[in-house]
Amino acid sequence: MRWAAAMLGMTSLGMAQAPCDLTAASPDRARASCQRAWMDANLKLNDLLMVGTHNSYKEAMPASLMALLRQADPGRADGLDYSHQPLSRQLDDGARQLEIDVYYDPEGGRFLNPAGLAVAGLTLDPVRRAALAEPGFKVMHVQDVDVFSVCVLLADCLGVIRRWSLAHPDHAPLLLMFNAKTDASPLPRGTSALPFDAAAWDALDREVQNVFPADALITPDDVQGDHPTLREAVLAGAWPTLGQARGKVLFALDEGEEKAAAYRGARRSLEGRIFFINTDEASPAAAYLTLNDPVSDGSRIRAAVQAGFIVRTRADADTAEARANDVRRRDAALASGAQYVSTDYMRPDARFAGGYQARLPGHAAALCNPVRAAGRCGEAEIERIASARPVN
């Protein structure tokens, strides 16, 4: 792959300057230990490049329901025709960013009877129904239509990720992105989502804190420190070092201006909050940006990354690139400087010719950022996946 060759061709200028003791019995092991120590001390969270998944919880829609949707709207059907492995398997395979869609359901039972399944003559299994009946945030893509998730309750999704993180304490920092769903149902007799009011936002923070202790998180307050605003901290280089960030998780709210403002409230930045928010570079709360088109947004992504912000972009969308085996967007994303590149295809879909996929080369789960760290840490893998199959 051209992008892989380009990344692996970076010089190791910075690494060569690290004081390595290679007199040990195993020089290769000593060199690897030295590289790890240098990277942990000299790289920061925003100096990395990682790949993750879009709508990471999503299971395939039932064939009969997909057939009905394809009759009504073939383009929409194509856009929904993808799925992912269980969250722990994605993490095992090198995903370091996951995306979760949540619906507010404080009383439970709101989404027990999906209208689309009824039209297709389908019913939910007892385990899913039991989970949907419980109070708490529900995880699904589109209520009434695309409702099947590897974990129905947000608390269960978070538990899977927390257990994986504890079992892999040296992992590169995970980004967990959330969409807070408030849409009306796409079907006439469906169930509309509840709005996210102040109580919902506070409940969402608590849901995370119930699973992840403070020392497992990277929060806006952790980054802001003594700086007047979060933005000023980011511009001053206040992200934690790689060594400080290993084994930890940060959360980001991938929403537009209205929801981001509601979550922020009257705070100057994001004091006391768990989630970073998607906002523009001039906001006092600026630290994270969602810029999903690495082609049209390429110059903005590069400038934001150079300034110190963390950016998520997308390698593909709506199955279009996978169906055509079109790698242009993927290559632009991986070269853009965005620290987290999201895809629906860390592994190819066997139904599509060409074998499209988007991931880092070899066994890498994290590499040096091509904009911020090129020339400083060379070919060394920041995190290596021992169990992953190499990229063809």
Side-chain angles (χ1 to χ4, degrees), residues 150-164:
V150 297
C151 40
V152 176
L153 289 168
L154 173 59
D156 292 340
C157 297
L158 295 175
V160 169
I161 298 165
R162 172 63 173 157
R163 289 189 293 274
W164 184 92

Side-chain angles (χ1 to χ4, degrees), residues 321-340:
E321 286 77 16
R323 292 176 187 276
N325 193 27
D326 183 350
V327 301
R328 291 173 294 178
R329 179 171 176 167
R330 178 198 71 188
D331 291 354
L334 290 164
S336 69
Q339 290 88 351
Y340 293 95

Side-chain angles (χ1 to χ4, degrees), residues 358-392:
R359 60 183 300 127
L360 299 182
H363 289 78
L367 292 174
C368 292
N369 188 283
V371 168
R372 290 189 56 86
R376 286 203 286 142
C377 50
E379 300 177 6
E381 294 169 335
I382 290 170
E383 185 188 355
R384 180 176 175 83
I385 318 160
S387 61
R389 303 188 304 276
V391 176
N392 294 327

Side-chain angles (χ1 to χ4, degrees), residues 10 42 71 76-77 94 179-180 188 204 231 269 284 290 296 315 338 346 370:
M10 295 188 295
N42 290 277
Q71 289 176 3
R76 179 65 168 157
N179 292 135
L204 187 60
R231 178 180 184 271
S269 294
T290 296
S296 64
M346 286 194 69

Side-chain angles (χ1 to χ4, degrees), residues 248-301:
K248 294 189 177 183
V249 179
L250 64 156
F251 287 77
L253 185 64
D254 181 21
E255 288 291 355
E257 182 178 347
E258 183 177 350
K259 289 179 185 175
Y263 178 76
R264 180 181 171 194
R267 297 166 179 81
R268 185 172 187 185
S269 294
L270 288 165
E271 292 82 3
R273 283 303 200 189
I274 296 299
F275 287 74
F276 295 88
I277 58 172
N278 175 32
T279 188
D280 67 83
E281 297 91 326
S283 168
Y288 163 83
L289 292 85
T290 296
L291 297 172
N292 279 332
D293 189 335
V295 178
S296 64
D297 290 332
S299 59
R300 185 180 174 191
I301 292 173

